[in-house]
Amino acid sequence: MTRTHDERPGHGPADRPTGPTGLTAWARDLATGARFALTGGREGWLRTGLTAVGVGIGVVLLLIAASVPEMLSQRDERQAARDVTSSTAGGPRADTLLYQSVGTDYRDKPVSGALLRAEGPKAPAPPGVDRIPGAGEMVVSPALDRLLKSDEGKLLRERFRYRAVGTIGDAGLIGPSELFFYIGSDHLSTDNPAVRYGQGERVLRVNRYGSDQDDPPLSPALLLLVVMVCVVLLLPVAVFIATAVRFGGDHRDRRLAALRLVGADIKAVRRIAAGEALCAALIGLAVGTGLFLSARRFASGITIQDTSVFPADLAPAPAPAALVAVAVPALAVVTTLLALRGVAIEPLGIVRNAVARRRRLWWRLLLPAVGLVLLVPLSGSVSLYGYGGTVPTVRVAVGAVLVLVGVTALLPWLVEACVARLRGGPLPWQLAVRRLQLSGGSAARAVSGITVAVAGAIAVQMLFAGTQNDYVGKPDEVPATHSRIQAMYRTGTAAEVRGWQERLRATEGVTGAVATVESYADAHGGEGRGGVATVRVADCATLRELARLDSCADGDVFVAQEPDGDVPTARNFPPGTPLEMARWDSSGGSEKAYRWTVPASARVVATRPDPTGEHRFGVLATPSAIDVRAMPEGRTVASVKFRQGDLDAIERVRNTAAGIDPAVRVWRMGGVVKDDHYAAIQRGLLVGGTLTLFLIGGSMLVTTLEQLRERSRLLSALVALGTRRSTIGWSVLWQTAVPVVLGMILAVAGGLGLGWTMLRLIDRRVKDWLSFLPLVGAGTAVILLVTLLSLPPLWRMMRTNGLRTE
């Protein structure tokens, strides 16, 4: 279309305002647009439906995100309501009970609970439980009850040989999939406390449930991770909603041109288009709300990495919900008005079909530049370990958003710049290139969501990798085949410890086991040259498995030195060294101390690997040489080795340990221990990332189908003129592949740059520059899957009956 005079929007003869102005004109034209959306015939209904579905999908995820604060708050409240943190002073009363936290694992899933013993008729029952179970009785969570009754829980049933008298209600559970229990016990006593070391818990006398302690605040580095996770998960949703409201743009613009023909000015036309988009967005908001309310009923059946929620927990807070209700329609209107700025809608047509002017690059580069200007000066300012520090969360979030939005904004320009220089090639390639040259913006919008998601995911992955060593404990040097386990229990006599060791050795699948009574000790007064060592007590037969002994008799003591001398035990704790073993209270003071001197007759011996392959250096003593009952932090520690890869052997060892006492703690050696907050953020990223991936896949499928529908007549015409279907199919694939490749290049560049900048904030270096490969592969896989799903509709649209018209 060629302009012969000044026909810029708002300057032509037909653009002079007529009729009402101001708010009245806006109300009239918005209502007209809504009427077109609802009564525009099949074409209008289809476009409105596609937009509503697209917006609705985005609204679902936004409402889920708005529910996260309430969900976490409810989980924390239920956790605090059932926790027991301190003992009641004095002896037993009518309203007290004894409480000991216990736990186990099954197939590496945590199974936690507590042993209870009522000391009076008024002892309080735990939240979600009608009464305290008696000796030999138990109450379990519904999820644990189902597991125990299933074939999968066969081995676990041997560990819970108690009479089930009920299930725990929702008020006593963190989530519906939690494996939790309460067991009644008549053996609990505060005179024989369980160990505090490691995972052990003391027996507490309490008269109520509930924790008054607040969780420690997130460290600044973890807060930085939270900010980045929120940005990465929510920004693709906003991009998708902005894309969804532009569905069917070509058909809408032709209809708007008809309105110009009957006398509407350009401003009225734009307001009518905004009204149509607003109506579709409001319908999408209602659809999304309905989908959210329907889907949350099934929330209890979804578990991701042992994390699940009750449906009632998925309730958006009022302020975020109101923000979603306002922001989504506003985004629809703003996006529509911005899209129409580049289109001159005239009475006889639209300028969209003419050669468009080149996209400007400067403002697209300005966005990430401003983001980096906000972030780079903060380098090294975020403390990794400090608590209570400040993080400029708004500045960090705005900077990250600008960088990621800049990556998205660069994609249409990059696609246009690249395809403008492409020439020649096979026929499908030429058809694809020509289509991209005419409408590269639409193709870029189709993959913009996956581009920004991959770029953000790369940045977060680099941030997680850079902080992993600070929040994730290094695993022991053991095979990754589940071949070693440790168990910990109260201090036992020599006969008891020997008996427990033999029971473990007799367990099917066990190839070796050793059990000793252990305690940490330091030089008397804590100032000797010895530092800290471990005192181990066992009979001679067991000590011979720990060290090379020429002779051994009850009453002997040895100082075990590693053969390579890496730990100079013999030099630091020579015979004659006075030791002190103490129990420390919560304030750091010593509650009780036991002093003992390494006899001058002690012999220095070399260690040997125990059945699990470990060297147990330190002080080795026989039962008559030391009073194990007086060791304030004494505990019985058993190390067990079994057939590599035999998962059932692990459960049988845990069953044997539970048969000794439910308070025995068992864990697999070599496991990775994560900081609780770090693990929670990582789980949140996994859950949110999974939902975002489904959203992006669904949005791309809807976008692709909408674009194919707009070109259905053109596709039918090509087939009618003799073009082979395979040629058209390959051209469609190439139309998707080119923007995808360019989008992934941008995502990698933007993600690596943002990730490097974020690591500089916490003064950390990049651990792996190739960590983006799995993320790029996942994004590419989503795009390929969407393309394959779009092929059947494409084949149907190429039928020649698509040329019929009325």
Side-chain angles (χ1 to χ4, degrees):
M1 180 175 182
T2 304
R3 302 181 188 273
T4 57
H5 55 81
D6 189 2
E7 291 184 2
R8 289 173 296 167
H11 291 76
D15 292 320
R16 299 187 182 93
T18 57
T21 59
L23 293 178
T24 303
W26 270 95
R28 179 201 63 187
D29 294 335
L30 289 177
T32 301
R35 191 160 56 249
F36 281 141
L38 298 176
T39 62
R42 183 182 172 213
E43 196 68 42
W45 295 337
L46 186 58
R47 178 178 180 275
T48 301
L50 285 172
T51 303
V53 170
V55 172
I57 295 174
V59 167
V60 170
L61 197 56
L62 289 177
L63 291 178
I64 292 175
S67 303
V68 169
E70 181 68 16
M71 179 187 70
L72 296 178
S73 174
Q74 292 296 326
R75 289 169 64 89
D76 290 343
E77 287 181 9
R78 289 194 297 270
Q79 174 76 66
R82 77 180 187 193
D83 279 349
V84 174
T85 56
S86 61
S87 296
T88 300
R93 302 197 306 260
D95 63 343
T96 61
L97 78 153
L98 299 181
Y99 182 101
Q100 182 183 12
S101 294
V102 294
T104 183
D105 290 280
Y106 187 71
R107 307 299 191 204
D108 286 340
K109 290 183 178 181
V111 184
S112 55
L115 302 179
L116 305 176
R117 181 183 179 186
E119 294 187 305
K122 296 182 180 179
V129 177
D130 295 333
R131 67 175 181 86
I132 298 176
E137 298 178 340
M138 69 176 181
V139 290
V140 298
S141 65
L144 181 55
D145 184 55
R146 291 191 298 270
L147 180 59
L148 291 173
K149 292 177 180 179
S150 67
D151 294 337
E152 182 186 355
K154 179 181 178 181
L155 284 172
L156 187 61
R157 284 198 295 270
E158 299 180 16
R159 208 173 310 168
F160 286 86
R161 293 181 176 178
Y162 307 95
R163 186 166 61 91
V165 295
T167 56
I168 304 173
D170 293 353
L173 299 173
I174 297 178
S177 67
E178 186 183 16
L179 305 178
F180 198 79
F181 63 87
Y182 291 107
I183 295 175
S185 172
D186 56 1
H187 299 299
L188 290 184
S189 172
T190 56
D191 297 330
N192 185 22
V195 295
R196 291 176 62 187
Y197 171 75
Q199 299 183 24
E201 295 289 346
R202 285 187 173 183
V203 177
L204 302 176
R205 175 174 285 118
V206 298
N207 62 355
R208 67 181 182 87
Y209 294 90
S211 171
D212 299 327
Q213 297 181 354
D214 295 328
D215 290 335
L218 288 178
S219 69
L222 291 181
L223 184 57
L224 182 65
L225 276 172
V226 171
V227 172
M228 282 300 299
V229 168
C230 293
V231 169
V232 169
L233 294 181
L234 295 181
L235 188 57
V237 180
V239 172
F240 167 60
I241 292 177
T243 302
V245 298
R246 300 181 69 172
F247 288 164
D250 291 342
H251 290 282
R252 177 203 60 199
D253 294 343
R254 284 194 292 270
R255 184 169 60 252
L256 295 178
L259 292 175
R260 293 295 315 279
L261 188 60
V262 296
D265 62 23
I266 189 66
K267 293 182 179 180
V269 165
R270 290 176 177 175
R271 291 193 293 264
I272 291 172
E276 191 173 353
L278 177 63
C279 178
L282 291 175
I283 295 175
L285 189 63
V287 169
T289 303
L291 290 175
F292 171 77
L293 295 177
S294 300
R296 77 170 188 165
R297 294 183 299 174
F298 305 99
S300 58
I302 300 175
T303 302
I304 301 178
Q305 269 203 351
D306 301 327
T307 301
S308 61
V309 297
F310 290 108
D313 293 343
L314 284 176
L323 180 62
V324 172
V326 173
V328 170
L331 181 62
V333 172
V334 172
T335 301
T336 302
L337 293 178
L338 290 177
L340 290 176
R341 290 185 62 187
V343 180
I345 302 174
E346 307 295 346
L348 298 180
I350 56 177
V351 181
R352 184 190 298 274
N353 294 330
V355 177
R357 63 182 180 182
R358 293 182 61 84
R359 300 178 186 272
R360 294 193 179 104
L361 179 61
W362 65 269
W363 69 267
R364 302 173 194 273
L365 294 175
L366 182 62
L367 292 176
V370 172
L372 292 176
V373 167
L374 292 175
L375 296 175
V376 171
L378 298 175
S379 296
S381 64
V382 178
S383 170
L384 193 63
Y385 302 106
Y387 287 91
T390 59
V391 176
T393 53
V394 174
R395 181 173 174 177
V396 170
V398 171
V401 167
L402 287 175
V403 172
L404 294 176
V405 170
V407 169
T408 305
L410 275 171
L411 183 57
W413 178 89
L414 183 62
V415 171
E416 180 183 88
C418 289
V419 300
R421 294 170 171 81
L422 297 177
R423 297 289 187 275
L427 182 57
W429 173 259
Q430 292 185 45
L431 288 174
V433 168
R434 185 54 182 162
R435 184 64 194 180
L436 290 173
Q437 290 172 346
L438 290 175
S439 58
S442 299
R445 286 196 300 271
V447 297
S448 59
I450 200 73
T451 300
V452 71
V454 170
I458 290 173
V460 172
Q461 177 65 28
M462 292 175 65
L463 196 55
F464 268 105
T467 58
Q468 184 173 9
N469 291 340
D470 300 284
Y471 295 102
V472 179
K474 294 181 179 179
D476 297 333
E477 296 297 329
V478 298
T481 51
H482 296 64
S483 62
R484 297 196 304 178
I485 267 184
Q486 273 195 347
M488 189 176 295
Y489 188 41
R490 64 172 176 82
T491 304
T493 64
E496 286 178 323
V497 173
R498 187 70 185 181
W500 298 336
Q501 178 177 279
E502 293 305 320
R503 290 178 66 175
L504 291 170
R505 286 181 173 177
T507 303
E508 181 184 354
V510 172
T511 59
V514 61
T516 60
V517 175
E518 300 182 2
S519 179
Y520 285 141
D522 61 358
H524 177 60
E527 299 177 357
R529 55 183 174 173
V532 179
T534 303
V535 177
R536 294 182 173 86
V537 184
D539 57 23
C540 286
T542 300
L543 294 184
R544 284 194 176 94
E545 299 187 51
L546 304 179
R548 303 182 187 279
L549 307 180
D550 295 333
S551 63
C552 179
D554 196 15
D556 287 350
V557 177
F558 308 91
V559 178
Q561 172 72 53
E562 278 191 311
D564 56 13
D566 282 348
V567 183
T569 308
R571 188 180 73 230
N572 293 344
F573 285 83
T577 303
L579 302 178
E580 181 178 278
M581 289 165 270
R583 174 181 297 155
W584 303 92
D585 59 23
S586 58
S587 63
S590 175
E591 293 181 349
K592 182 180 180 181
Y594 172 57
R595 295 176 180 177
W596 179 75
T597 301
V598 180
S601 59
R603 287 173 283 164
V604 177
V605 296
T607 62
R608 62 186 300 177
D610 67 8
T612 65
E614 291 286 326
H615 284 267
R616 308 291 177 177
F617 55 87
V619 179
L620 306 180
T622 52
S624 297
I626 188 171
D627 183 6
V628 295
R629 296 289 186 178
M631 297 165 62
E633 289 288 358
R635 65 262 176 196
T636 300
V637 178
S639 299
V640 183
K641 184 177 179 61
F642 45 87
R643 290 191 298 264
Q644 291 187 356
D646 188 349
L647 299 182
D648 286 346
I650 299 177
E651 304 308 329
R652 286 192 289 266
V653 170
R654 289 170 175 159
N655 290 346
T656 301
I660 295 172
D661 193 293
V664 177
R665 289 281 177 153
V666 181
W667 66 95
R668 180 172 59 87
M669 298 173 65
V672 176
V673 180
K674 296 183 180 180
D675 175 86
D676 289 340
H677 289 145
Y678 183 91
I681 296 171
Q682 208 168 33
R683 285 196 300 269
L685 177 62
L686 175 65
V687 174
T690 302
L691 294 174
T692 303
L693 197 61
F694 279 115
L695 166 71
I696 292 172
S699 70
M700 287 192 62
L701 182 60
V702 173
T703 302
T704 302
L705 294 178
E706 191 273 339
Q707 290 178 355
L708 290 176
R709 183 186 63 83
E710 286 192 344
R711 301 201 298 268
S712 60
R713 292 180 63 84
L714 175 61
L715 296 174
S716 298
L718 288 174
V719 172
L721 293 173
T723 308
R724 290 187 297 180
R725 292 174 180 266
S726 60
T727 300
I728 298 176
W730 278 109
S731 71
V732 172
L733 291 177
W734 282 120
Q735 290 173 42
T736 304
V738 172
V740 165
V741 171
L742 296 176
M744 291 301 103
I745 293 174
L746 268 181
V748 171
L752 291 177
L754 181 58
W756 177 85
T757 305
M758 289 298 171
L759 285 173
R760 297 304 304 159
L761 263 62
I762 57 176
D763 198 20
R764 284 293 183 270
R765 297 182 180 276
V766 178
K767 296 292 184 181
D768 184 8
W769 285 103
L770 298 180
S771 60
F772 65 87
L773 292 177
L775 298 170
V776 172
T780 305
V782 170
I783 293 171
L784 291 176
L785 179 61
V786 169
T787 303
L788 291 176
L789 292 176
S790 65
L791 288 180
L794 171 64
W795 249 247
R796 288 196 300 271
M797 292 176 187
M798 286 190 291
R799 296 171 182 171
T800 54
N801 57 11
L803 295 174
R804 290 182 180 178
T805 186
E806 295 180 3

